[in-house]
């Protein structure tokens, strides 16, 4: 790599018996990197710049002309010739990058003037104002969280979006609804057909036991207080929880050729230079696989180059081609995973069983049975 940037010169040498001159160079241990005969009295050769002085001392009757230079010397000469243009471009690009990272406008989108004023004041207090440098994504998330925590009773949701050199802030006001106490008597009934596993009640009378089978709508906790003579003495609002074993048969398909792009949660923003079909990212930490949202900052209709701003999300690529047995196992796992995802915090799978499978053109279809420990609580008002 170092040799590539070492200074070299291309020479044109003319004179009679040119081979004698070449032998002189070899005797002085001068490295000839390239040698091309034009005719018997003329050659073109490339040597290191450090050997040029020696060559000029021993040239005697031979004519030696410098035709070109390479390596560091080439870079240096090119820079000296174009130094004013290069300095101008570097300074201009630096100013441009700086200006693209300055906030020139902040717009708060909300119909309530008071809410708009409140948010602007909070943003200003936390350093988000006109003609200041943009905040990092992490800082914006922290500021957003701080504002929401400061006004839990007034703000439901807040989003700060960066569009070019502008921040657009959207918010949703929290609506606090005061619920009126409903005094209508009610029963706790089964929401689904099930076998009861657990019943608790803080109001009402439990009329079903563990392992009793109930159909949808059957009373589990009665809101009517009944004496032994089967006379109703009063009515209350039943309050409690009923859990039962509920059954499901689910069909799930899984492909033999599987491809998935799964987001890792890592995000970043970058500036990229696009030249022809090349994409040059200005930064060091780069995502191997990513999803990109892109805005063009600078372009020219006559030049195949542009500067873009990207919002990147890192993704993990999962690609696989499965046999039937492998796809069958994956389909069962996917079915269980899908079932678990649909359950609430206090619900779980009691047992599961593989029933059957069938192969389609590109997928395997599996049928599975699930017994679920599920909340079957439902309330029904007692009609007079």
């Amino acid at each position: 790599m170092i040799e590539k940037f070492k200074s070299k010169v291309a020479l044109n040498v003319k004179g009679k018996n040119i081979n004698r001159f070449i032998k002189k160079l070899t005797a002085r241990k001068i490295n000839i990197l390239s040698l091309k005969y034009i005719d018997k009295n003329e050659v073109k050769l490339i040597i290191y710049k450090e050997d040029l002085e020696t060559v000029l001392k021993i040239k005697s009757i031979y004519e030696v002309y410098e035709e070109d230079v390479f390596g560091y010397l080439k870079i240096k000469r090119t820079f000296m010739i174009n130094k004013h243009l290069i300095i101008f471009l570097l300074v201009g690009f630096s100013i441009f990058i700086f200006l693209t990272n300055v906030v020139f406008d902040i717009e708060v989108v909300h119909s309530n003037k008071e809410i708009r004023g409140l948010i602007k004041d909070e943003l200003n207090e936390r350093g988000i104002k006109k003609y200041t440098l943009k905040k990092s994504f992490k800082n914006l998330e922290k500021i957003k969280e701080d504002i929401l925590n400061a006004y839990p009773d007034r703000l439901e949701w807040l989003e700060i979006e960066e569009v070019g050199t502008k921040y657009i802030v959207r918010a949703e006001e929290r609506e606090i609804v005061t619920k009126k106490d409903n005094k209508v008597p009610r029963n706790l009934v089964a929401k689904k057909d099930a076998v009861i596993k657990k019943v608790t009640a803080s109001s009402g009378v439990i009329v079903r036991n563990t392992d009793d089978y109930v159909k949808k709508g059957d009373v589990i906790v009665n809101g009517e207080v009944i004496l032994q003579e089967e006379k109703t003495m009063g009515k209350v609002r039943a309050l409690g929880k009923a859990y039962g074993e509920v059954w499901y048969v689910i069909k799930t398909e899984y492909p033999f050729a599987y491809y998935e792009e799964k987001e890792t949660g890592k995000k970043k923003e970058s500036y990229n230079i696009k030249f022809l079909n090349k994409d040059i990212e200005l930064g060091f930490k780069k995502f191997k696989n990513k999803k990109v949202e892109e805005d063009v900052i600078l372009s020219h209709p006559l030049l195949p180059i542009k500067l873009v701003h990207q919002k990147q999300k890192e993704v993990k690529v999962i690609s696989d081609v499965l046999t039937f047995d492998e796809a069958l196992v994956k389909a069962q796992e996917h079915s269980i995973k899908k079932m678990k995802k649909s359950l609430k915090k206090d619900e779980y799978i009691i047992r599961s069983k593989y029933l059957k499978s069938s192969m389609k053109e590109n997928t395997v279809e599996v049928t599975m049975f699930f017994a679920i420990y599920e909340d079957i609580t439902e309330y029904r008002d007692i009609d007079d």
Side-chain angles (χ1 to χ4, degrees):
M1 189 68 180
I2 297 173
E3 290 294 322
K4 186 177 180 181
F5 291 100
K6 199 171 179 181
S7 297
K8 310 174 192 73
V9 291
L11 302 176
N12 180 279
V13 183
K14 294 180 181 178
K16 291 183 178 179
N17 199 352
I18 200 76
N19 283 332
R20 184 186 300 169
F21 181 74
I22 300 300
K23 288 178 182 179
K24 280 185 180 182
L25 298 182
T26 307
R28 295 294 182 100
K29 295 183 179 180
I30 293 173
N31 287 321
I32 300 173
L33 305 175
S34 174
L35 178 64
K36 181 180 179 182
Y37 283 87
I38 306 304
D39 56 42
K40 64 180 182 177
N41 296 321
E42 182 181 358
V43 294
K44 290 181 183 289
L45 53 90
I46 297 175
I47 62 171
Y48 287 119
K49 175 69 171 60
E50 62 192 29
D51 296 326
L52 180 60
E53 190 176 345
T54 305
V55 172
L56 295 176
K57 284 180 180 179
I58 65 173
K59 69 174 185 176
S60 62
I61 61 171
Y62 297 94
E63 297 175 7
V64 178
Y65 304 98
E66 185 179 315
E67 291 192 333
D68 202 355
V69 293
F70 306 97
Y72 171 73
L73 195 59
K74 181 82 169 182
I75 297 170
K76 184 179 177 181
R77 286 190 183 181
T78 303
F79 177 78
M80 293 306 295
I81 293 169
N82 301 286
K83 65 179 180 180
H84 294 100
L85 176 62
I86 293 170
I87 292 170
F88 174 77
L89 288 174
L90 287 174
V91 171
F93 187 72
S94 299
I95 293 171
F96 178 77
I97 291 295
F98 173 76
L99 291 176
T100 57
N101 281 279
V102 173
V103 179
F104 287 96
D105 191 20
I106 298 170
E107 181 185 355
V108 179
V109 181
H110 199 277
S111 58
N112 189 327
K113 185 179 179 181
E114 186 181 346
I115 293 293
R116 291 200 304 270
L118 181 147
I119 292 172
K120 282 184 178 179
D121 290 342
E122 290 296 322
L123 292 173
N124 188 69
E125 192 176 311
R126 289 167 173 78
I128 297 182
K129 46 191 170 184
K130 285 185 179 181
Y131 313 120
T132 58
L133 289 174
K134 293 177 182 177
K135 304 288 184 183
S136 68
F137 177 80
K138 188 176 180 180
N139 282 340
L140 287 178
E141 289 294 304
K142 179 70 168 58
I143 289 168
K144 183 174 72 174
E145 186 178 338
D146 288 346
I147 294 173
L148 288 172
N149 289 337
Y151 297 95
D153 296 332
R154 301 206 64 185
L155 296 175
E156 177 75 29
W157 172 80
L158 184 73
E159 186 62 45
I160 305 172
E161 182 184 2
E162 183 184 318
V163 181
T165 57
K166 177 181 180 179
Y167 280 140
I168 298 178
V169 185
R170 295 181 173 85
E172 187 175 325
E173 193 173 359
R174 187 183 293 276
E175 293 182 10
I176 300 175
V177 180
T178 305
K179 293 183 179 179
K180 294 181 180 179
D181 188 18
N182 196 336
K183 299 295 183 181
V184 177
R186 66 183 183 184
N187 294 326
L188 189 157
V189 301
K191 184 165 60 176
K192 298 178 179 180
D193 294 358
V195 171
I196 293 176
K197 291 299 176 185
K198 182 181 178 182
V199 182
T200 60
S202 58
S203 177
V205 180
I206 298 173
V207 295
R208 293 285 189 166
N209 299 317
T210 302
D211 293 331
D212 282 356
Y213 174 75
V214 290
K215 290 186 177 182
K216 180 179 178 180
D218 284 355
V219 176
I220 299 174
V221 178
N222 200 337
E224 294 181 300
V225 180
I226 302 173
L227 296 179
Q228 290 182 351
E229 292 82 7
E230 296 186 357
K231 292 182 179 179
T232 303
M233 297 300 295
K235 297 177 183 178
V236 297
R237 283 176 63 78
L239 182 63
K241 278 281 186 181
Y243 293 91
E245 181 180 317
V246 184
W247 310 282
Y248 298 93
V249 174
I250 293 178
K251 289 184 178 181
T252 305
E253 289 188 12
Y254 200 87
F256 291 112
Y258 181 76
Y259 179 87
E260 181 185 4
E261 290 184 354
K262 192 174 182 180
E263 292 185 11
T264 64
K266 293 182 180 180
K267 300 177 182 178
K268 73 169 188 173
E269 297 185 23
S270 72
Y271 290 94
N272 293 40
I273 296 173
K274 292 201 165 185
F275 180 69
L276 298 175
N277 61 341
K278 292 186 177 180
D279 190 343
I280 305 165
E281 185 173 328
L282 305 177
F284 297 101
K285 291 184 179 179
K286 300 176 182 178
F287 294 149
K288 185 177 179 182
N289 299 298
K290 59 198 173 188
K291 290 180 180 178
V292 174
E293 291 180 15
E294 186 175 279
D295 295 314
V296 177
I297 297 172
L298 185 64
S299 64
H300 195 284
L302 301 178
L303 298 175
I305 187 170
K306 57 185 175 180
L307 177 67
V308 300
H309 173 252
Q310 291 186 349
K311 291 181 180 178
Q312 300 180 359
K313 294 180 181 178
E314 186 183 40
V315 295
K316 182 181 178 182
V317 175
I318 304 167
S319 180
D320 205 359
V321 178
L322 308 174
T323 63
F324 177 81
D325 290 337
E326 289 171 337
L328 184 60
V329 172
K330 290 283 187 183
Q332 292 178 51
E333 290 174 353
H334 186 66
S335 184
I336 293 170
K337 187 177 178 181
K338 190 165 67 172
M339 174 55 74
K340 284 181 177 179
K341 197 173 180 180
S342 69
L343 301 180
K344 297 176 185 175
K345 188 177 179 180
D346 52 352
E347 299 175 340
Y348 57 87
I349 298 173
I350 298 171
R351 61 185 180 279
S352 63
K353 185 178 180 181
Y354 161 71
L355 298 178
K356 64 177 181 177
S357 63
S358 60
M359 187 170 66
K360 296 187 177 181
E361 185 177 353
N362 298 313
T363 63
V364 59
E365 184 183 78
V366 64
T367 304
M368 291 193 67
F369 165 82
F370 289 95
I372 305 298
Y373 181 85
E374 187 174 332
D375 183 353
I376 58 169
T377 305
E378 190 171 78
Y379 293 104
R380 187 172 296 167
D381 291 345
I382 300 173
D383 296 328
D384 288 336

